[in-house]
Amino acid sequence: MTDAARTRFDAIAPFGALPVPPGVDIVGLPARVGTLTAFHAAPSGAPRGTVLVVPGFTGSKEDFRDFLPLLAARGWDAWSYSQRGQGDSAAPAGVGAYRLEDFAADAVESAALAGDGQPVHLVGHSFGGVVAQAAVLASPASFASVTLLCSGPHGWPGRHQETTDIVARDGSMGLWYRDNPDTRGLPDAALPIELAFLRLRAERTSRDNLLAGAEILRTQTDVTDELHATSVRALVAHGEHDDKWPIPDQRDMAERLGAAYAVIPGGGHLPQVEAPQATLAVLDAFFGAPPGPASG
């Protein structure tokens, strides 16, 4: 851990048994909602800037655990955090504690903490991209840029309705066992370590987070024009095989934003996992570009 991070934040124990990559520290961000747990990978020399990643629906900071060291190796002070109700982060009770403006306020607050008050490069993955858009609208000065990674401009009726129905009836584990019925009754030791972690994360994910997040993904309104008006430099990027958000919608959003636009070869909806080097090349080039309006 860097001396600055050690002074500002408490160390946090690992969540689950997944190995934490060398050079990655686990810290607690003291947000108003409670502690938001974060991974932090610091560069060996003076940082070129700070990057903060907001994970997606049903996700957590662990989705970027292997990617942060790649960013740090390129000189970026790299962070990802688990949103409220995800993994081992604070999980307030009640669906009303998970409004889009609440998620966005956490992103703004986390940016100030990770960046020590300086603007950061914000990356929102999928649902995290919805949060990132709201965060930039709430506080444009907090961000040097915004990247919408595998995320789109609006929701649509019926989206995640089955998720809502299952979670309302059976909680977060009902959703897990719908997709992983063969794991029912098996101890962690009988599962691959990654699968055991994902089951633990599902168990610890707040029911209220899932119900509210699904509703946000259904009803999200298009704020592309408002986002463009902030003049915060933007990138829209997705894997070439992304199947969670309509690719034409993502491309159209980039055009309307006047944003940089990149298709990541070999990537799907988790390009940082499926095509990490290609994803790194896209993000590093964007973060390191001279300030000024992006071109699509």
Side-chain angles (χ1 to χ4, degrees), residues 157-274:
R159 188 180 193 194
H160 278 296
Q161 186 59 53
E162 184 184 15
T163 297
T164 296
D165 296 341
I166 290 173
V167 172
R169 184 183 68 239
D170 300 321
S172 62
M173 291 309 289
L175 195 62
W176 171 261
Y177 286 124
R178 177 199 67 179
D179 298 332
N180 303 275
D182 294 343
T183 65
R184 189 182 295 273
L186 294 179
D188 284 355
L191 300 175
I193 189 171
E194 179 87 20
L195 197 61
F197 165 76
L198 292 174
R199 184 172 67 177
L200 172 65
R201 183 171 73 179
E203 179 184 349
R204 292 284 298 276
T205 297
S206 162
R207 171 186 183 275
D208 295 328
N209 168 293
L210 294 173
L211 292 174
E215 181 66 15
I216 291 168
L217 286 169
R218 275 192 294 275
T219 61
Q220 171 201 3
T221 58
D222 191 330
V223 294
T224 303
D225 293 340
E226 293 91 333
L227 195 61
H228 181 267
T230 68
S231 298
V232 173
R233 197 163 60 93
L235 165 67
V236 175
H238 60 80
E240 63 175 323
H241 306 300
D242 186 10
D243 60 354
K244 302 301 183 185
W245 292 82
I247 287 176
D249 287 357
Q250 296 186 63
R251 184 169 56 244
D252 176 69
M253 179 171 62
E255 292 174 356
R256 292 168 55 206
L257 276 176
Y261 175 66
V263 178
I264 300 168
H269 190 60
L270 293 168
Q272 80 280 5
V273 174
E274 300 144 346

Side-chain angles (χ1 to χ4, degrees), residues 66-212:
D66 292 320
F67 190 70
L68 296 186
L70 302 181
L71 287 169
R74 294 291 182 95
W76 303 105
D77 193 45
W79 301 74
S80 66
Y81 72 97
S82 294
Q83 300 197 71
R84 60 173 64 197
Q86 292 182 336
D88 54 346
S89 274
V95 174
Y98 297 88
R99 302 169 301 169
L100 180 56
E101 52 261 47
D102 298 318
F103 288 114
D106 291 343
V108 173
E109 192 173 7
S110 296
L113 292 167
D116 200 18
Q118 297 301 308
V120 310
H121 297 285
L122 186 64
V123 179
H125 174 251
S126 196
F127 172 73
V130 179
V131 173
Q133 294 177 58
V136 171
L137 291 179
S139 183
S142 297
F143 304 106
S145 73
V146 60
T147 296
L148 306 176
L149 182 64
C150 301
S151 190
H154 56 75
W156 56 87
R159 188 180 193 194
H160 278 296
Q161 186 59 53
E162 184 184 15
T163 297
T164 296
D165 296 341
I166 290 173
V167 172
R169 184 183 68 239
D170 300 321
S172 62
M173 291 309 289
L175 195 62
W176 171 261
Y177 286 124
R178 177 199 67 179
D179 298 332
N180 303 275
D182 294 343
T183 65
R184 189 182 295 273
L186 294 179
D188 284 355
L191 300 175
I193 189 171
E194 179 87 20
L195 197 61
F197 165 76
L198 292 174
R199 184 172 67 177
L200 172 65
R201 183 171 73 179
E203 179 184 349
R204 292 284 298 276
T205 297
S206 162
R207 171 186 183 275
D208 295 328
N209 168 293
L210 294 173
L211 292 174

